[in-house]
Amino acid sequence: MNCQFKPKDRIGTINPIFTCQPAGAQYASIGIKDCIGIVHGGQGCVMFVRLLISQHLKESFEIASSSVHEDGAVFGALDRVEEAVDVLLMRYPHVKVVPIITTCSTEVIGDDVDGVVTKLQEELLDVKYPDREVHLIPIHCPSFVGSMVTGYDVAVRDFVKHFSKKDKPSLKINLITGWVNPGDVKELKHLLAEMQVEANVLFEIESFDSPLMPDKSAVSHGSTTIAELTATADAQGTIALNRYEGGQAATWLQTRWDVPAVIGPTPIGIRNTDTFLRNVNDMTGKPIPESLVKERGVALDAITDLAHMFLADKKVAIYGNPDLVLGLAEYCLDLGMKPVLLLLGDENAGYEKDPRIAAIKENVDYPMEIITNADLFELEDRIKNGLELDLILGHSKGRFVAIDYNIPMLRVGFPTYDRAGLYRYPVVGYAGATWLAEQMANTLFNDMEVKKNREWILNVW
Amino acid sequence: MPYHEFDCSKCLPERKKHAVTKGTGDNLATALPLGYLNTIPGSISERGCAYCGAKHVIGTPMKDVIHMSHGPVGCTYDTWQTKRYISDNNNFQLKYTFATDVREKHIVFGAEGLLKQNIIEAFKACPDIKRMTIYQTCATALIGDDINAVAAEVMEEMPDVDIFTCNSPGFGGPSQSGGHHKINIAWINDKVGNVEPEITSDYVINYVGEYNIQGDQEVMLDYFTRMGIQVLSTFTGNGTYDGLRAMHRAHLNVLECARSAEYICNELRVRYGIPRLDIDGFGFEPLSQSLRKIGMFFGIEDRAEKIIAEETARWKPELDWYKERLKGKKVCLWPGGSKLWHWAHAIEEEMGVKVVSVYTKFGHQGDMEKGIARCGEDALAIDDPNELEGLEALEKLQPDIIFTGKRPGEVAKKVRVPYLNAHAYHNGPYKGFEGWVRFARDIYNGIYSPMHQLSGLDISKDEIPTDRGFVTQRMLSDAKLPEEIAKSESLRRYTGKDDIIADLRKKNPPYFTPIVKAEAAE
């Protein structure tokens, strides 16, 4: 077999690809309307994640901390949660949803967050806020388990578990997008609108890209409502686009409420978008309309100008969130490119059984590596030792590898703080396929000019 | 006390004593908020943790060191690539970060073995680096890992390496400030005095509390070198590990950020008798005074005066060009700790702006004392502000610009207040004479951005001027200026280069010959 699939050899992490679980839960929490999460731990676990999200989206999002100090670490810090909930509710009268996200410190000291939620319901909510709808939702995110990807997955599941309730059957579907950008959600909603399918979108984050208004009124926040979360139990079916970011929620809805689940594929590239639309068609009976046939044609028209002329045979390394990496790798293969190195930043038992990885292992006819538990030093070390790359696809934390080794890089994933506005553009759907192909090509073109590598080719195109 | 009660915090009575408005005749005895107390949970404070105070703020600017965090990857990832503390060794400290990657099994069975493997592995991965700092995190502190013992064991086995350990888990104290203190004390306890430096000048200093944000340290180092002063070490921006082990041989500690690094200066005074001189690299007058003070200490005032005269002549006309156009502009000075007092007075005096509010996230009461003393009347001073209080203050004060962090800057953007990054700067460095002009230029460009003016228009109801396709910053800033100033020949806009650090680095090496020796040779 040409493709090696293995964990990295080193035990430690040099330049991590992911941060830890609480960050994923925090990113999920800001997608819900009237929701401010409380992260139960040291203040850095919130302060830096808020900074990270604001670096990526160039917006600020509200997330609170229980501000555990030394006394809490020694004697237990549940009193800090109790105070945090009350302070938050007093000062933010619109807040209805308060996930309480644990961290490594509060999991190690064994704070009973589930117990304190019961206590707060009886002693605080029923007494002080009897007329207010408030949901306290414990979300366990010990940082020493999983990664930010599993933290996101766990949080989506726990939100769905908390809210979903059968009422009457609905024609809507549940669309669980996974960890994506506002531009992706916009494109996915567009595709569903063309299909005339209504969806509970988890999460509606198009509004993350918020305006600067003359009356100063705009706030960046997601807009998935409690009603939508509740109605997930009544949906015709669930499509979770990402196996590792929302897959658990889809499975849970199927098990608990008999809502049929389709997990994957991540609709990156033409082929995976086709499959996504077929899945929607199967689930709802709604036909794929002529308008999407045309959109697909426009995308293919653009991609055909690039694929075999400029992109074919180009060697690519891809790192980031697993569904994104695998989706990109599949699309690169469809473009005639050669993904030679895929780096997945955590160890997930599911990777062994992932059909996409199995198919890649089965079919690539050139040397390729898929490294799990990987870090960015895996990439750098291979380049130092002779790995030839034409392109890197990954997030901003790997920028110095591209800079120091003069390898063109297209920023994709989370976070992409060192390029302007990328969160606005989709990588999913037909629009995403076009965007990716064109951006990859432009990145290569720019590099040809900077390095004076056959830069004259583009004299005529 | 003229406490200021925020409407949004009326339900939190204890917050009332954390903000004051400085009235007529008030001084720090009559107007001083409480400071550095425990954070109120759920208030959406802006504070960080003691781990980041130690690792991210003070530890990592050391440039020739493997910075390894013993814990899950998150602490390391989150405190990586969010700062602009550069170095002249290709930014190793910005590019590489190390985590021992503690997992559940280690939490149960201990992670000391994991740490040891990590240390050996990291030195192997970076064969040119022989120094390491290990930072404790919440998780490994709580399970009781003895990082000192592991470090000692490795040093025994690998005689060419040296390892420093910093026990400052995130929960240690109300803010990042606890971490500043811990790493200061740990460094002097464990490392100072271990290396004997080569002394090449009669005038030897440590430059302390300086983090080389966008090259600040290199600008100041240039002045010190031109005065013939040998800088043994910088704590810690662009500093070397071994240089900092030799701190005990300096004649003087020149202290910049007292909030984060006065502890080590005080200990160096107690243990080695080295005096502490607080200086200020921001602002023409404070910087001139600082260079004079250092000159006076060593009896080389003339060298200081020469630099001050040269630099002032070169850059003052440019600073004043901006000052004329920034007069009366309202500023919220909302940094982390010490800049509230480094900047409050200097920007009012030298740029003509009015500081309408100061705040500090992690400063102590001493910082507020200095801040209150240095800001003008009616300024609103806030300790450990939170999201809603910040917004309420912006609404009340209507500043023209705010100096704060990246994320709070995004909050300000939404209420149409442009921001400058007080921690990392926009187009720094801001220290030094030229740097101060660059700061003024960034403020000017922020306040007079034509885009900023456009964002206030509501096209559905406001009068829309249709007679122009653009306006320039000058059209906005000079509209009400007297003609003799607007057209003054003696004032000019900034004329420096984009990157002023590259040229400074080229001055090396002949430039570093101490003046004292050169004179002796003559």
Side-chain angles (χ1 to χ4, degrees):
Chain A
M1 228 177 260
N2 289 304
C3 176
Q4 300 256 333
F5 172 78
K6 59 180 186 188
K8 78 167 182 306
D9 293 333
R10 281 171 296 112
I11 194 164
T13 302
I14 308 177
N15 296 353
I17 291 173
F18 297 149
T19 185
C20 56
Q21 286 213 108
Q26 290 175 70
Y27 192 76
S29 78
I30 58 175
I32 299 172
K33 188 169 186 293
D34 302 330
C35 172
I36 297 182
I38 294 171
V39 179
H40 185 34
Q43 293 165 155
C45 309
V46 179
M47 192 269 260
F48 282 104
V49 172
R50 293 181 76 198
L51 174 60
L52 181 70
I53 296 172
S54 86
Q55 284 208 82
H56 175 70
L57 290 157
K58 312 298 182 218
E59 303 286 0
S60 173
F61 294 86
E62 287 156 338
I63 308 167
S65 173
S66 65
S67 297
V68 173
H69 299 334
E70 207 138 25
D71 54 342
V74 177
F75 302 114
L78 287 171
D79 57 321
R80 306 292 283 179
V81 177
E82 294 180 36
E83 192 179 350
V85 170
D86 192 25
V87 167
L88 190 71
L89 292 178
M90 280 196 286
R91 299 175 80 232
Y92 291 85
H94 72 282
V95 165
K96 297 193 180 83
V97 184
V98 185
I100 297 163
I101 300 163
T102 65
T103 59
C104 45
S105 61
T106 50
E107 289 285 341
V108 171
I109 65 175
D111 268 2
D112 180 8
V113 171
D114 303 78
V116 89
V117 163
T118 311
K119 182 181 175 206
L120 281 166
Q121 184 66 46
E122 287 168 10
E123 293 177 13
L124 179 74
L125 301 186
D126 296 349
V127 177
K128 192 171 172 183
Y129 305 96
D131 301 323
R132 187 163 157 187
E133 181 183 11
V134 178
H135 301 267
L136 304 178
I137 307 165
I139 299 181
H140 291 275
C141 285
S143 317
F144 43 78
V145 174
S147 68
M148 68 186 202
V149 176
T150 54
Y152 185 92
D153 199 37
V154 163
V156 182
R157 182 200 64 197
D158 288 357
F159 283 124
V160 166
K161 261 170 113 164
H162 178 90
F163 287 106
S164 62
K165 216 171 101 191
K166 274 266 192 239
D167 184 14
K168 46 179 185 279
S170 126
L171 290 177
K172 281 178 142 187
I173 64 164
N174 301 319
L175 180 72
I176 303 181
T177 66
W179 191 320
V180 294
N181 275 320
D184 294 313
V185 172
K186 190 174 184 174
E187 170 65 8
L188 292 165
K189 280 163 64 183
H190 161 73
L191 294 173
L192 291 183
E194 292 298 316
M195 298 270 296
Q196 298 185 328
V197 169
E198 282 188 68
N200 302 307
V201 179
L202 276 49
F203 296 101
E204 267 282 9
I205 61 163
E206 207 185 329
S207 47
F208 281 3
D209 188 8
S210 65
L212 201 177
M213 295 299 282
D215 67 355
K216 311 176 181 180
S217 62
V219 175
S220 275
H221 201 87
S223 48
T224 297
T225 62
I226 290 175
E228 287 168 315
L229 285 161
T230 309
T232 51
D234 292 326
Q236 286 197 65
T238 304
I239 296 182
L241 299 177
N242 285 356
R243 196 178 175 90
Y244 305 105
E245 298 156 0
Q248 278 199 58
T251 306
W252 188 87
L253 280 166
Q254 179 163 289
T255 312
R256 177 68 182 83
W257 300 117
D258 296 323
V259 181
V262 175
I263 298 175
T266 308
I268 293 176
I270 300 291
R271 194 181 304 273
N272 281 327
T273 303
D274 294 349
T275 307
F276 166 62
L277 294 178
R278 282 300 310 186
N279 289 341
V280 175
N281 168 255
D282 281 348
M283 191 171 276
T284 63
K286 294 279 177 72
I288 297 174
E290 186 60 28
S291 62
L292 289 180
V293 175
K294 190 175 166 197
E295 258 183 50
R296 182 175 185 271
V298 170
L300 280 165
D301 186 82
I303 295 163
T304 307
D305 287 332
L306 300 166
H308 71 281
M309 289 181 236
F310 298 109
L311 299 175
D313 288 343
K314 291 285 183 279
K315 293 189 280 299
V316 195
I318 312 172
Y319 64 86
N321 291 27
D323 290 295
L324 176 75
V325 169
L326 294 170
L328 288 170
E330 291 180 317
Y331 183 37
C332 284
L333 288 165
D334 261 350
L335 289 167
M337 303 170 78
K338 288 181 174 165
V340 291
L341 179 63
L342 308 184
L343 299 173
L344 308 177
D346 59 5
E347 262 176 330
N348 188 320
Y351 295 152
E352 289 281 357
K353 287 174 264 163
D354 193 310
R356 295 169 291 188
I357 292 174
I360 289 171
K361 281 182 3 191
E362 178 88 26
N363 291 296
V364 295
D365 60 351
Y366 57 85
M368 175 178 179
E369 286 183 300
I370 303 175
I371 308 295
T372 60
N373 199 27
D375 58 19
L376 288 164
F377 194 75
E378 289 290 299
L379 174 61
E380 179 171 348
D381 202 37
R382 280 174 176 74
I383 295 167
K384 258 195 276 191
N385 289 303
L387 176 69
E388 286 180 11
L389 290 174
D390 299 300
L391 186 66
I392 297 171
L393 301 178
H395 57 65
S396 298
K397 292 276 186 183
R399 63 194 301 260
F400 282 115
V401 180
I403 294 168
D404 284 349
Y405 295 90
N406 288 311
I407 298 167
M409 170 169 164
L410 175 62
R411 272 69 172 168
V412 53
F414 178 94
T416 56
Y417 47 79
D418 69 336
R419 287 294 180 273
L422 295 190
Y423 52 81
R424 193 165 292 121
Y425 301 96
V427 297
V428 297
Y430 298 126
T434 310
W435 187 86
L436 280 169
E438 291 181 341
Q439 292 298 315
M440 286 195 286
N442 285 340
T443 304
L444 293 170
F445 295 161
N446 185 61
D447 186 66
M448 288 164 75
E449 290 166 9
V450 169
K451 291 181 183 154
K452 300 213 188 320
N453 167 22
R454 300 176 303 137
E455 74 285 2
W456 37 260
I457 277 195
L458 291 160
N459 273 354
V460 49
W461 174 32
Chain B
M1 286 280 169
Y3 290 124
H4 176 84
E5 187 173 35
F6 287 97
D7 288 340
C8 63
S9 294
K10 284 213 161 88
C11 55
L12 304 175
E14 62 267 51
R15 276 301 299 165
K16 196 178 165 186
K17 292 184 175 176
H18 289 264
V20 301
T21 305
K22 183 179 177 180
T24 311
D26 271 333
N27 58 36
L28 56 92
T30 58
L32 186 67
L34 294 180
Y36 201 54
L37 297 175
N38 285 353
T39 318
I40 300 174
S43 61
I44 315 200
S45 151
E46 296 179 6
R47 285 171 162 178
C49 62
Y51 158 80
C52 88
K55 184 256 187 184
H56 191 39
V57 177
I58 297 191
T60 316
M62 272 190 224
K63 66 185 174 188
D64 55 353
V65 180
I66 290 169
H67 295 282
M68 177 172 288
S69 300
H70 185 36
V73 292
C75 311
T76 280
Y77 177 100
D78 291 351
T79 54
W80 172 45
Q81 291 190 14
T82 73
K83 290 261 190 189
R84 293 176 178 150
Y85 35 54
I86 57 173
S87 68
D88 57 11
N89 69 334
N90 201 21
N91 295 320
F92 178 81
Q93 78 290 352
L94 286 183
K95 291 176 182 173
Y96 297 95
T97 195
F98 300 74
T100 56
D101 195 9
V102 166
R103 300 296 174 95
E104 193 159 25
K105 63 184 178 203
H106 306 117
I107 296 293
V108 177
F109 300 111
E112 289 176 4
L114 174 78
L115 174 60
K116 186 173 176 185
Q117 276 179 280
N118 257 281
I119 299 171
I120 293 164
E121 208 178 73
F123 279 122
K124 203 172 142 202
C126 305
D128 299 336
I129 304 282
K130 298 291 178 195
R131 302 288 177 259
M132 176 182 286
T133 298
I134 300 169
Y135 304 91
Q136 191 75 283
T137 64
C138 290
T140 50
L142 288 167
I143 63 171
D145 268 7
D146 187 347
I147 60 175
N148 301 38
V150 176
E153 196 181 309
V154 174
M155 283 197 282
E156 193 116 314
E157 292 167 19
M158 299 173 72
D160 59 337
V161 306
D162 200 84
I163 302 172
F164 169 57
T165 52
C166 174
N167 274 293
S168 181
F171 53 72
S175 73
Q176 46 269 63
S177 187
H180 304 156
H181 183 223
K182 288 197 175 86
I183 194 169
N184 269 251
I185 299 304
W187 186 262
I188 187 152
N189 280 347
D190 296 348
K191 294 300 167 196
V192 174
N194 289 357
V195 159
E196 287 304 322
E198 187 194 350
I199 301 297
T200 58
S201 170
D202 297 330
Y203 320 115
V204 183
I205 66 169
N206 297 311
Y207 187 28
V208 184
E210 161 57 54
Y211 304 104
N212 202 30
I213 308 297
Q214 293 206 24
D216 275 353
Q217 184 257 8
E218 294 171 74
V219 168
M220 297 294 287
L221 202 63
D222 177 59
Y223 300 144
F224 299 146
T225 310
R226 280 153 71 183
M227 288 171 72
I229 293 169
Q230 180 186 3
V231 180
L232 270 191
S233 72
T234 303
F235 189 89
T236 52
N238 202 26
T240 64
Y241 187 101
D242 284 0
L244 285 156
R245 292 162 87 190
M247 291 181 94
H248 59 296
R249 291 300 180 205
H251 306 145
L252 179 69
N253 285 312
V254 170
L255 175 61
E256 191 91 49
C257 176
R259 175 67 286 118
S260 61
E262 67 175 351
Y263 317 104
I264 197 164
C265 281
N266 294 346
E267 289 303 312
L268 284 162
R269 181 170 56 198
V270 170
R271 300 184 197 188
Y272 299 99
I274 307 170
R276 156 184 164 176
L277 180 67
D278 289 36
I279 69 148
D280 202 331
F282 296 113
F284 280 43
E285 190 52 32
L287 172 56
S288 300
Q289 290 293 357
S290 299
L291 295 177
R292 268 186 206 113
K293 281 195 289 186
I294 297 167
M296 277 165 71
F297 180 86
F298 288 120
I300 48 173
E301 299 98 309
D302 53 327
R303 296 179 187 180
E305 292 299 346
K306 184 161 176 282
I307 293 170
I308 295 164
E310 278 172 18
E311 296 283 333
T312 305
R314 171 69 183 85
W315 298 110
K316 190 76 175 12
E318 302 189 5
L319 179 66
D320 288 345
W321 189 94
Y322 292 101
K323 180 181 182 180
E324 292 295 345
R325 288 158 177 85
L326 295 175
K327 270 184 188 158
K329 292 295 173 190
K330 292 189 287 181
V331 170
C332 279
L333 175 48
W334 289 359
S338 70
K339 286 195 189 85
L340 85 111
W341 46 267
H342 274 297
W343 284 358
H345 188 58
I347 55 177
E348 288 204 339
E349 287 287 309
E350 302 193 355
M351 298 184 194
V353 299
K354 165 114 182 96
V355 175
V356 293
S357 178
V358 293
Y359 87 26
T360 173
K361 289 195 253 190
F362 54 79
H364 298 204
Q365 218 152 8
D367 298 285
M368 262 306 179
E369 288 176 9
K370 291 191 235 178
I372 300 263
R374 292 184 188 189
C375 69
E377 279 175 13
D378 302 327
L380 172 62
I382 316 167
D383 165 71
D384 179 24
N386 55 61
E387 193 89 352
L388 289 176
E389 291 175 358
L391 278 165
E392 190 177 320
L394 290 177
E395 186 55 33
K396 174 181 144 68
L397 300 168
Q398 299 284 326
D400 295 292
I401 195 161
I402 171 175
F403 306 157
T404 189
K406 190 266 175 302
R407 191 201 49 73
E410 299 293 348
V411 178
K413 176 180 78 179
K414 283 289 193 261
V415 293
R416 300 195 48 249
V417 180
Y419 105 100
L420 285 196
N421 193 322
H423 312 305
Y425 313 155
H426 285 188
N427 299 288
Y430 288 169
K431 279 184 184 166
F433 295 89
E434 183 176 1
W436 199 239
V437 179
R438 292 167 77 90
F439 186 18
R441 175 179 66 155
D442 280 347
I443 301 172
Y444 175 86
N445 287 342
I447 291 177
Y448 291 110
S449 165
M451 277 297 151
H452 178 57
Q453 194 200 27
L454 285 178
S455 68
L457 278 180
D458 183 339
I459 53 168
S460 70
K461 31 182 201 257
D462 293 344
E463 186 83 9
I464 304 295
T466 55
D467 58 338
R468 50 175 59 153
F470 67 91
V471 300
T472 66
Q473 295 160 308
R474 278 299 278 283
M475 286 158 73
L476 297 173
S477 69
D478 290 10
K480 289 179 188 155
L481 274 188
E483 193 166 342
E484 70 272 19
I485 292 171
K487 297 203 165 137
S488 163
E489 302 256 314
S490 60
L491 304 177
R492 60 176 185 267
R493 289 177 90 152
Y494 179 60
T495 57
K497 290 181 176 176
D498 247 11
D499 178 1
I500 64 170
I501 300 302
D503 284 348
L504 278 183
R505 287 181 186 165
K506 281 184 210 143
K507 283 170 114 174
N508 200 11
Y511 156 81
F512 277 99
T513 310
I515 291 175
V516 67
K517 280 196 171 169
E519 283 173 354
E522 282 168 17

